[in-house]
Amino acid sequence: MTSPPPQQNPPPPSPQTYAGVLMHHNDLGTTGQNTNETVLTPTNVNQSQFGKQFSYQLDGAAYAQPLYVSNVPIAGGTHNVVYVATEHDTVYAFDADGAASSPFWKVSFTNPAAGITAAPSSGLPGGGAMAPEVGITSTPVIDGRTGTLYVVAETKENGNFVHKLHALDITNGKEKANSPVAIKASVAG
């Protein structure tokens, strides 16, 4: 009598790899090109079919480029999501198809009760160029393999200007392990 072959566990599911516009100007060369475009064509990009589809309310100016991720498991379904960062130190996750009137989630890095606010531009060298405040100016980056949005936020914390690198889960906006990290620099001399 032969014994049955040992049961093997099925391999773990492969992690989700997200596609979309995950960084400033779409690629490491910052060319702005999408060489794999499949939706926009000369036929459907014209005056009668192409233009603003919807808008969302923000709490501050947005200088960072919005980022886009397709097929994100979020809000009890799978959605195309646009991520927007503001100078008021807030990151939003909105429905990229305009099907929802409010964000899936939003995260603010300020807490006025604890003395943490967006940095007033008047207190910065050359201040006023981005009045009234400076928060998240640079475009975040999304790691499509891990579903992590990396963003640098500038705040004023109890009188001190602080820069922190945050790592957020793109599905819920929660900080990932070991996040945030204060960015500190020093120069000899």
Side-chain angles (χ1 to χ4, degrees):
M1 204 167 174
T2 61
S3 59
Q7 278 200 343
Q8 294 182 357
N9 292 330
S14 58
Q16 168 85 32
T17 300
Y18 297 100
V21 177
L22 307 179
M23 66 182 60
H24 175 70
H25 278 180
N26 203 43
D27 62 9
L28 290 175
T30 64
T31 64
Q33 298 180 77
N34 180 355
T35 57
N36 298 313
E37 179 61 57
T38 59
V39 176
L40 301 176
T41 67
T43 304
N44 65 20
V45 178
N46 57 55
Q47 288 181 332
S48 63
Q49 291 179 296
F50 190 77
K52 180 178 175 180
Q53 301 295 308
F54 52 86
S55 62
Y56 290 109
Q57 186 71 35
L58 303 174
D59 67 357
Y63 292 107
Q65 174 183 326
L67 299 175
Y68 167 83
V69 181
S70 61
N71 301 313
V72 178
I74 191 170
T78 301
H79 301 273
N80 299 322
V81 181
V82 63
Y83 298 90
V84 180
T86 73
E87 295 300 326
H88 196 65
D89 286 310
T90 304
V91 178
Y92 294 87
F94 290 113
D95 187 299
D97 300 315
S101 59
S102 59
F104 293 126
W105 56 259
K106 77 175 185 176
V107 173
S108 174
F109 301 121
T110 65
N111 182 349
I116 303 169
T117 63
S121 58
S122 60
L124 298 171
M130 296 175 63
E133 60 193 357
V134 177
I136 301 169
T137 303
S138 60
T139 299
V141 174
I142 295 174
D143 180 339
R145 256 182 334 98
T146 63
T148 306
L149 182 143
Y150 294 96
V151 59
V152 174
E154 180 177 5
T155 55
K156 189 169 185 183
E157 300 186 14
N158 300 307
N160 299 307
F161 293 98
V162 178
H163 289 86
K164 289 183 181 172
L165 174 63
H166 297 265
L168 305 178
D169 185 315
I170 65 170
T171 66
N172 58 29
K174 293 183 179 173
E175 296 272 2
K176 291 210 170 182
N178 303 312
S179 175
V181 174
I183 300 171
K184 297 181 180 182
S186 61
V187 178

